[in-house]
Structure formats: structure tokens, C-alpha cells
Amino acid sequence: MVITQQDNGEQTVTGTALLLAAAPANKSCLIDATSVMPALAAVPPSALTGTAAASVVELADPVDPQTVLTRIRTAAAAPGPLVLYVAGQLHLDHRQRLLHLALARTTPSTLRYTALPWHWLTGELALRRPDTTTVVLDLVADGDAWGQMRGGGFGVGTGVRLFGRVSPPPPRRSTAVPGYLKTYASIWRDGHRPPLAQLHAQAAGEAGPGDAVFLAVDGGPGSVPVAPRPPVPAARQEVAPAVEARPDAESHPAILAAAQSGRHGEAAAIAAMWESTALRTHGAGSPEALHWLEVRADLARLAQDPGRSCELWMAAATARLARGEVTGTEDVEAAVDRAHHQWEQLGDPAQARALAASLTRLRRAVPGRRPGALEAIGRRISALENVPATP
């Protein structure tokens, strides 16, 4: 559902709020995430965004990570301020050691295919202008995710304001509630509009539990991390450069070292930061921005995320064609070939079907130097049609 509020026809900045509440609809559920949605939906849109004009998008118990990514990407593309509210639960992928946000169909055995990788979210936010994005979290972590989060392996990236609570797993046979976010909604419904740092302090004081970690990084000019009440572990804040930064000779080795050490989220976040810098400095479609887009595509390959890698390689090929590169050039062909190869690695039939149309359009424009590539896509699509959808 999308709600739009405008200010009497006057020219005002329009903010966007994305409300995402999700948890497994099975015995893996740790939090009644969607119980906060009616409370937030009753809040005036302007309170959610802090702007006079606002658009609100609600996602309650989505089932498909690609759909969630598309909604996040659309919201992140909006030019005005963006506030992302997330209620749900974090899990750790044991194979890649990556954090995921569970969705409605997520189970421990299907985590990598049915949950939203956290670095997908942070990667999209990294493309926005610094200090235009705020994330408010009310999350429960499973045992493994809790350990990684406490060890510093969690964040939302540079230039993003962050307020939130992450709680450890609730006692067995019990389900947590998003009380932290419900406190925000209650205050707003009473007509009060305090700054987010003040809201955070009050919600942290009321919500508990005592062993939860409360995160407060106010990324505004001259601001510092906010400590709402002791004991509150300080959130680790990445500091955005004061001037336009340029990648030095150490950037690529550092990214590769992180990826090879299994810190794929960290590697993707660093590359996304440099891509954001290139977009601001040189513009969309520039060779610099394209370079970092392709780095991100290859990092997704190293993270064994062929669907994301395919998407990014297709985006790179499309961007090269849009800037006037001809279909037979080496860079264009390489991008399409790599997208095709990653698509072939997809083991999830639904994800392969979802990407097939875009890949087919690219292959028609860029057949490549190996004969039969377009026909190979057709054969696999036909085979996928006989594979039943996962219930």
C-alpha cells in the first residue's frame, strides 16, 4: 500500500518511508513483527518521514527477497529523505557467515534463498547521498546472529543515521514483540514530534530487555553517537570523508582480502561506498561508476550469490549500452557473458525464471561470440517450466 500526503500544493521536499515487518510463518518465528504495522499505519505520514509531504510504502510479511529488494531499490531511488523502519529477525548463514533478514517463508534450511541478505539492503542505501537516509530497527537475532552482531559484524553503512534495538533470542516457546517501534508510534499518535534521538532514548528506556543492544548513530553535521541510557554499547560508526574521496592503491586489495576471508558483506559495502562516490563525482554511466558496479557484480559471484551477480552484470551491460558502447565491444560482451554464466549457476528455479526475460532481451541485443547462447537460454526456460514452484 502506498500513501501520499502533500502540502496544499506548495513546493515542498517529499520524504519516503518504507515500513518492512517480516518474520517466518513457522516454528522459526522469534518476533511478532507485523503487530507493529497497525500502530505505524495510524501515524501521520509526515511524522514517519519528518517532512511536510510524504510517501509511505508498507511491506508486511513478504515472501520473496527479490520483491523486497525491488521495493527497497525503488524507495532508495527517491530524491528526498528516506526513512526505513524494519521489524523482524536476523539469522546467520552458516556457509557464508552473512546476516539475513528472515521473511515469511524462511526456514533454517532455506535461509539463503528465502531471506533477504542484509548486505543487499546496505548496498542499496550506500548509493544514496550521505545524510539523506535514516534506518530505525527493532530486531531479534537468533543465537548465531546475536554473536556476530555483538562482535561488531552489523551495521547500515556510511552516511546513514541509525537508531534501533537488537535483542537476543527470546526464551523458548515465547515470541518477542516490537515494543521499541511501538513506543515511537505511540508518541507520534499523541501528536508529539520530538527529534529521533529523543524518541530513541525514550523507546530504549521503556522497551528493554536489559541485555538488548541499542544502536544510535546520528549522522547529522557535528553530531555524535547517542547513548540513551546505560548500559548501551556504542554503535560503531564509519566516518564519511569530508571531501570527495578517491580510491587509492590499497582499495582493491582490501576489498578482495575481505571477500576471500568470508567477510562478503564488508567487501560489498566498501565497493558500494566507492560506487556512491563515483556517482556523485562523475555521474551515472561514467567509466568510474561502471567500474565499481562491475566490482560489486564480481563480489556477488565470490559470495556465491549468482542471482545478485547476474542482476549486477546485466545492469552493467545495460549501462554500457545506454552510454553508447556498441554491442560488439569487449566490455559489453563480457558483461552479458558473465550475467549469462551466473544465471546458469542459479539453483532456484523461481529466481531463474524471474531473471530470464531481462537476460533474453540482453542476449538478443548482444549475442556474443559463442554461437547458440540465445538458444541455450530458451532451452533452460523450457526446462524450468516443468519444474514445480517451491511451496
Side-chain angles (χ1 to χ4, degrees), residues 24 60 72 81 101 162 335 338:
I72 293 172
L101 181 72
L162 170 64
R338 287 165 180 162

Side-chain angles (χ1 to χ4, degrees), residues 4-14 46 51-54:
T4 302
Q5 172 180 310
Q6 296 183 345
D7 182 31
N8 298 325
E10 297 181 4
Q11 294 295 320
T12 58
V13 175
T14 300
S46 59
T51 57

Side-chain angles (χ1 to χ4, degrees), residues 31-367:
I31 182 172
D32 184 9
T34 56
S35 66
V36 75
M37 292 297 264
L40 289 175
V43 172
S46 59
L48 294 170
T49 62
T51 57
S55 294
V56 180
V57 180
E58 299 178 15
L59 285 175
D61 272 340
V63 299
D64 178 31
Q66 291 290 336
T67 299
V68 177
L69 176 64
T70 298
R71 294 295 186 90
I72 293 172
R73 183 173 293 162
T74 300
L82 171 65
V83 187
L84 178 61
Y85 297 89
V86 184
Q89 60 190 66
L90 291 172
H91 293 264
L92 189 66
D93 167 24
H94 292 167
R95 181 177 178 182
Q96 299 177 332
R97 310 299 295 176
L98 293 175
L99 289 170
H100 288 65
L101 181 72
L103 302 181
R105 292 181 180 173
T106 299
T107 65
S109 62
T110 65
L111 179 69
R112 294 181 61 222
Y113 310 105
T114 59
L116 179 76
W118 193 253
H119 65 274
W120 284 14
L121 183 150
T122 58
E124 296 302 323
L125 299 185
L127 300 178
R128 290 180 52 81
R129 288 187 299 110
D131 304 320
T132 63
T133 308
T134 302
V135 177
V136 184
L137 304 173
D138 198 347
L139 303 174
V140 173
D142 76 351
D144 293 327
W146 177 248
Q148 177 157 321
M149 195 281 302
R150 288 292 296 251
F154 178 75
V156 292
T158 303
V160 178
R161 300 174 74 205
L162 170 64
F163 298 97
R165 174 185 71 165
V166 184
S167 303
R172 292 189 64 184
R173 298 181 181 177
S174 63
T175 304
V177 296
Y180 172 85
L181 271 178
K182 286 185 176 181
T183 300
Y184 276 59
S186 177
I187 293 171
W188 281 327
R189 290 201 310 274
D190 288 341
H192 303 296
R193 300 292 183 268
L196 280 180
Q198 184 177 333
L199 268 172
H200 168 76
Q202 184 166 344
E206 295 180 9
D211 53 352
V213 170
F214 292 90
L215 306 167
V217 179
D218 190 345
S223 63
V224 296
V226 180
R229 63 177 174 90
V232 178
R236 184 174 66 178
Q237 182 177 17
E238 298 174 277
V239 180
V243 296
E244 288 293 350
R246 296 183 180 181
D248 54 32
E250 299 300 320
S251 301
H252 291 83
I255 292 170
L256 183 59
Q260 291 177 337
S261 299
R263 304 192 313 275
H264 298 292
E266 176 184 334
I270 296 171
M273 179 192 72
W274 285 120
E275 183 181 10
S276 179
T277 299
L279 287 167
R280 293 195 307 270
T281 306
H282 304 287
S286 64
E288 294 82 1
L290 275 169
H291 167 76
W292 287 108
L293 176 60
E294 293 180 344
V295 168
R296 290 174 58 213
D298 207 42
L299 288 174
R301 175 188 64 83
L302 292 174
Q304 298 182 27
D305 188 348
R308 183 64 169 155
S309 183
C310 174
E311 284 187 318
L312 292 171
W313 279 119
M314 287 195 296
T318 301
R320 287 190 177 279
L321 292 170
R323 70 189 301 266
E325 295 185 28
V326 297
T327 58
T329 58
E330 181 178 352
D331 287 340
V332 173
E333 287 188 340
V336 178
D337 287 346
R338 287 165 180 162
H340 191 163
H341 176 72
Q342 290 299 297
W343 182 76
E344 292 282 357
Q345 307 310 305
L346 277 169
D348 180 3
Q351 194 176 12
R353 292 189 195 100
L355 296 174
S358 297
L359 181 61
T360 300
R361 285 193 295 270
L362 268 178
R363 264 300 179 215
R364 285 177 178 148
V366 187

